[in-house]
């Protein structure tokens, strides 16, 4: 029962909120350009579905590519860190600098460097930068968290560095990596949208551009429709990584079984 | 035979020794002592996992015995099934051959886990995990088994079963066992000889040959109880937490 309740309760709350929203807008006669009713947003979604869905696809594509590149680079770098303390000490602070620098602040610079004609590359780079750090930090932590007895076990059998990495450290770090990826996928989407905002009109065709465009035209229903698509994309990506995590770790870890 | 001569270990301060002790081949020796007496450190030095600060270890015919180690926790890799866990030492030492799987199955059967080869550690009880850990330590065909308080986290009944299984493995495989424990009764029940270490730095306090018969009910004999009492008194006099 509790299992079903965890689905039903939030869904029911959401539906009640939507109904309340609908009635509040109608009762208070709030103009469409201030706050459209859920029914107006749904209509707008139906009317503009071609534009919105093609833009959502652009945003989704960049988000996934940026996420894949960020994950690959971050895992590779964390593995490199595990092999050399000197490399870790030298490069980790640089990674932290990228993490703490607001993407909005460096976006114009990246845009200038890659050229306004290649805005999509700039967006990709920015989203990659935003998505990079959680995977790096978590992979690094995972590799370092290997139980000392397990290290001793591998030492006892004379395991080489490579054997230790492949058969112990990386598998041990996998739950940490996937946790990092769950954070990273959301950040990748945020990074893509922020970068699209900065790239501005004419250069980007993602959902952020649809939001700017709708805002400029006071088409708030369309703006909300784009926003809803973004939320759906975010939830879809998070659930996708959670599902992959569940499949991959199904039999690996005690807490995943119970 | 292993001969430890003047073994010491210092970290920031001395934690062990100097210790002089001989371990005869095919014997079952337990090491007991208060917390911080360096029991586990001695075991790790014996296994070669850490090196001693001074002193020497020599082996019969200068051949280092093939060692298996059982840790306090089972140290199974949760992402590998039971069979793959048992095969790990053979994999790491690149001794995987067509007979390896058969060897693993044999050991699985010997530790009472026949049919559990495809299970994952997360699906096993604490006692079963420890059995897999023993099978893994033995699969290489080693002749020296080192155990570091392996049954301390198990319930009484499971512990007793595993103790009997360990005795059976020792007897039938002609191996040498070095067993670290904080339980005096366990040490007397299992061993032919009990070595008592003083609290840090751990030095040899007592080296007691256990008079025992291996028939059932040894732990209820006056012989057993007097030896337990003797060792307990030594530890009490020494002070510190066991």
């Amino acid at each position: 029962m509790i299992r079903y309740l965890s689905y039903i309760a939030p869904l029911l709350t959401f539906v009640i909120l939507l109904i309340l929203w609908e009635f509040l807008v109608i009762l208070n006669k709030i103009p469409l350009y201030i706050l459209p009713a859920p029914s107006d947003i749904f209509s707008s979604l139906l009317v503009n579905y071609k534009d919105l869905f093609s833009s959502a696809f652009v945003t989704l594509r960049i988000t996934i590519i940026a996420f894949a590149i960020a994950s690959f680079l971050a895992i590779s770098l964390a593995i490199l860190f595990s092999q050399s303390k000197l490399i870790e000490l030298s490069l980790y602070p640089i990674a932290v600098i990228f993490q703490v620098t607001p993407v909005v602040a460096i976006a114009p610079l990246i845009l200038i460097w890659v050229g306004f004609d290649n805005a999509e590359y700039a967006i990709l780079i920015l989203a990659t930068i935003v998505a990079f750090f959680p995977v790096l930090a978590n992979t690094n932590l995972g590799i370092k968290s290997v139980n000392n007895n397990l290290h001793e076990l591998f030492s006892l059998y004379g395991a080489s560095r490579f054997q230790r990495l492949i058969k112990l450290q990386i598998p041990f770090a996998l739950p940490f990596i996937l946790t990092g990826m769950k954070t990273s996928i959301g950040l990748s989407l945020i990074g893509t949208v922020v970068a699209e905002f900065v790239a501005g009109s004419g250069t980007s065709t993602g959902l952020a551009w649809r939001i700017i465009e709708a805002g400029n035209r006071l088409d708030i229903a369309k703006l909300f429709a784009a926003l809803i698509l973004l939320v759906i994309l975010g939830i879809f990506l998070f659930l996708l990584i959670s599902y992959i995590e569940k499949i991959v770790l199904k039999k690996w870890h005690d807490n995943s079984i119970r | 035979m292993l001969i430890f001569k003047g073994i010491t270990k210092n970290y920031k301060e001395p934690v062990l020794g100097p210790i002089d002790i001989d371990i005869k081949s095919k014997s079952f020796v337990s090491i007991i002592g208060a917390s911080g007496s360096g029991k586990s450190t001695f075991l790790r030095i014996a296994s070669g996992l850490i090196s001693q600060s001074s002193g020497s270890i020599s082996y019969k015919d200068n051949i280092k015995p093939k060692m298996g180690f059982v840790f306090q926790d089972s140290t199974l890799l949760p992402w590998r099934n039971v069979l793959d866990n048992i095969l790990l030492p053979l994999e790491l030492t690149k001794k995987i051959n067509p007979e390896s799987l058969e060897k693993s199955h044999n050991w699985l059967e010997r530790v009472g886990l026949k049919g559990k080869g495809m299970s994952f550690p997360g699906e096993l009880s604490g006692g079963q995990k420890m059995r897999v850990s023993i099978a893994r330590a033995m699969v290489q065909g080693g002749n020296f088994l080192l155990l570091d308080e392996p049954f301390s986290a198990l319930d009484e009944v499971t512990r007793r079963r595993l103790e009997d299984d360990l005795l059976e493995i020792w007897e039938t495989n002609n191996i040498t066992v070095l067993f670290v424990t904080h339980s005096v009764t366990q040490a007397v029940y299992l061993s032919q000889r009990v070595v008592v270490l003083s609290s840090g730095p751990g030095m040899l306090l007592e080296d007691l040959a256990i008079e025992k018969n291996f028939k059932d009910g040894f732990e209820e004999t006056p012989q057993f109880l007097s030896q337990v009492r003797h060792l307990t008194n030594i530890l009490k006099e020494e002070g510190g937490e066991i």
Side-chain angles (χ1 to χ4, degrees):
Chain A
M1 184 62 191
I2 288 173
R3 192 180 160 197
Y4 293 115
L5 211 64
S6 66
Y7 294 107
I8 294 167
L11 200 70
L12 207 64
T13 311
F14 186 66
V15 171
I16 291 169
L17 282 174
L18 281 182
I19 293 168
L20 268 175
W21 179 358
E22 183 81 31
F23 276 101
L24 278 173
V25 169
I26 292 167
L27 286 175
N28 294 300
K29 293 176 183 164
I30 298 172
L32 204 60
Y33 58 86
I34 299 287
L35 181 66
S39 57
D40 296 321
I41 296 167
F42 187 65
S43 303
S44 178
L45 193 62
L46 288 180
V47 171
N48 298 298
Y49 81 93
K50 267 189 182 168
D51 283 356
L52 291 173
F53 276 83
S54 68
S55 292
F57 180 74
V58 170
T59 301
L60 179 67
R61 185 167 53 87
I62 295 176
T63 300
I64 289 176
I65 296 172
F67 168 73
I69 295 171
S71 298
F72 175 75
L73 291 177
I75 293 168
S76 306
L77 195 61
I79 289 172
L80 205 61
F81 285 177
S82 74
Q83 300 304 302
S84 164
K85 192 74 192 163
L86 183 68
I87 293 177
E88 184 185 357
L89 289 170
S90 311
L91 294 183
Y92 203 80
I94 298 172
V96 174
I97 289 170
F98 270 108
Q99 156 73 5
V100 297
T101 310
V103 67
V104 181
I106 51 169
L109 199 59
I110 303 283
L111 207 59
I112 289 164
W113 284 346
V114 298
F116 285 89
D117 296 339
N118 299 314
E120 199 165 291
Y121 289 128
I123 295 166
L124 192 64
I125 292 169
L126 290 164
T128 303
I129 291 171
V130 176
F132 176 77
F133 195 77
V135 182
L136 175 74
N138 278 280
T139 309
N140 199 29
L141 177 68
I143 289 175
K144 282 182 176 167
S145 300
V146 177
N147 179 322
N148 193 44
N149 282 347
L150 287 174
H151 271 304
E152 286 193 328
L153 179 77
F154 274 65
S155 300
L156 193 74
Y157 298 114
S160 65
R161 258 185 153 182
F162 185 70
Q163 282 178 321
R164 198 179 289 264
L165 179 71
I166 296 296
K167 291 182 191 287
L168 177 63
Q169 289 169 307
I170 292 178
F172 192 93
L174 203 58
F176 294 82
I177 296 171
L178 286 161
T179 303
M181 281 178 158
K182 270 203 284 192
T183 312
S184 173
I185 192 80
L187 286 176
S188 180
L189 179 63
I190 292 169
T192 304
V193 171
V194 170
E196 281 176 356
F197 269 118
V198 177
S201 61
T203 51
S204 163
T205 50
L207 273 176
W209 165 238
R210 294 294 163 209
I211 289 171
I212 296 172
E213 186 190 46
N216 288 342
R217 291 176 185 171
L218 285 181
D219 189 352
I220 307 301
K222 189 178 177 184
L223 191 153
F224 265 102
L227 208 57
I228 286 167
L229 278 184
L230 265 181
V231 171
I232 291 171
L233 272 189
I235 293 171
F236 163 73
L237 291 170
F238 181 82
L239 290 178
L240 184 71
I241 299 295
S242 299
Y243 181 71
I244 292 170
E245 183 186 36
K246 202 176 167 185
I247 296 292
V248 173
L249 301 183
K250 197 177 176 186
K251 294 201 164 175
W252 287 30
H253 290 274
D254 303 11
N255 55 359
S256 300
I257 292 164
R258 288 170 191 145
Chain B
M1 163 107 72
L2 267 90
I3 304 161
F4 298 88
K5 256 190 191 163
I7 298 291
T8 65
K9 183 69 186 174
N10 308 322
Y11 288 110
K12 278 177 187 166
E13 49 193 54
V15 291
L16 186 72
I19 284 186
D20 295 278
I21 185 175
D22 302 345
I23 311 269
K24 281 185 189 156
S25 296
K26 299 172 191 175
S27 62
F28 196 125
V29 179
S30 283
I31 301 174
I32 58 172
S35 295
S37 60
K39 311 182 287 280
S40 297
T41 305
F42 181 73
L43 203 68
R44 277 163 172 74
I45 291 172
S47 68
L49 278 172
I50 55 172
S51 53
Q52 65 272 27
S53 301
S54 65
S56 65
I57 306 170
S58 48
Y59 312 103
K60 189 188 172 189
D61 302 327
N62 280 331
I63 301 167
K64 190 182 175 184
K66 210 184 271 180
M67 296 188 184
F69 200 108
V70 179
F71 293 86
Q72 194 167 1
D73 57 18
S74 57
T75 58
L76 300 180
L77 304 181
W79 54 89
R80 285 177 159 239
N81 66 29
V82 165
L83 265 181
D84 286 342
N85 263 291
I86 296 175
L87 280 168
L88 183 74
L90 300 173
E91 259 181 61
L92 294 177
T93 50
K94 293 179 180 150
K95 284 175 186 156
I96 288 277
N97 54 40
E99 290 92 53
S100 302
L101 202 61
E102 199 187 322
K103 262 190 208 170
S104 300
H105 275 293
N106 283 344
W107 270 106
L108 200 59
E109 199 174 336
R110 290 200 58 182
V111 295
L113 291 175
K114 192 180 177 185
K116 288 275 183 189
M118 301 314 281
S119 301
F120 281 79
E123 297 164 329
L124 304 179
S125 67
Q128 288 174 324
K129 283 181 192 172
M130 208 39 90
R131 285 171 190 277
V132 178
S133 189
I134 292 171
R136 182 182 61 193
M138 293 301 300
V139 76
Q140 262 195 311
N143 47 4
F144 194 11
L145 183 62
L146 304 109
L147 302 100
D148 187 9
E149 301 190 36
F151 311 142
S152 55
L154 303 177
D155 64 83
E156 186 93 24
V157 177
T158 312
R159 189 165 65 229
R160 181 45 59 91
R161 275 192 202 138
L162 276 161
E163 284 168 359
D164 290 338
D165 289 349
L166 179 62
L167 280 176
E168 197 260 320
I169 288 170
W170 167 63
E171 282 169 344
T172 53
N173 287 275
N174 292 322
I175 56 170
T176 311
V177 175
L178 193 53
F179 189 91
V180 163
T181 177
H182 59 263
S183 163
V184 176
T185 49
Q186 190 177 46
V188 175
Y189 180 72
L190 287 172
S191 326
Q192 294 176 311
R193 190 173 150 207
V194 177
V195 171
V196 186
L197 296 185
S198 63
S199 33
M203 285 197 251
L204 203 65
L205 264 186
E206 174 75 300
D207 190 344
L208 181 72
I210 300 295
E211 293 169 26
K212 72 196 290 187
N213 55 54
F214 284 98
K215 286 174 188 157
D216 285 344
F218 168 57
E219 68 274 33
E220 284 154 21
T221 60
Q223 203 183 9
F224 175 84
L225 294 172
S226 76
Q227 289 175 116
V228 168
R229 206 173 301 125
H230 172 66
L231 291 170
T232 308
N233 286 339
I234 291 172
L235 286 169
K236 269 187 190 164
E237 279 168 27
E238 174 62 14
E241 268 181 43
I242 299 171

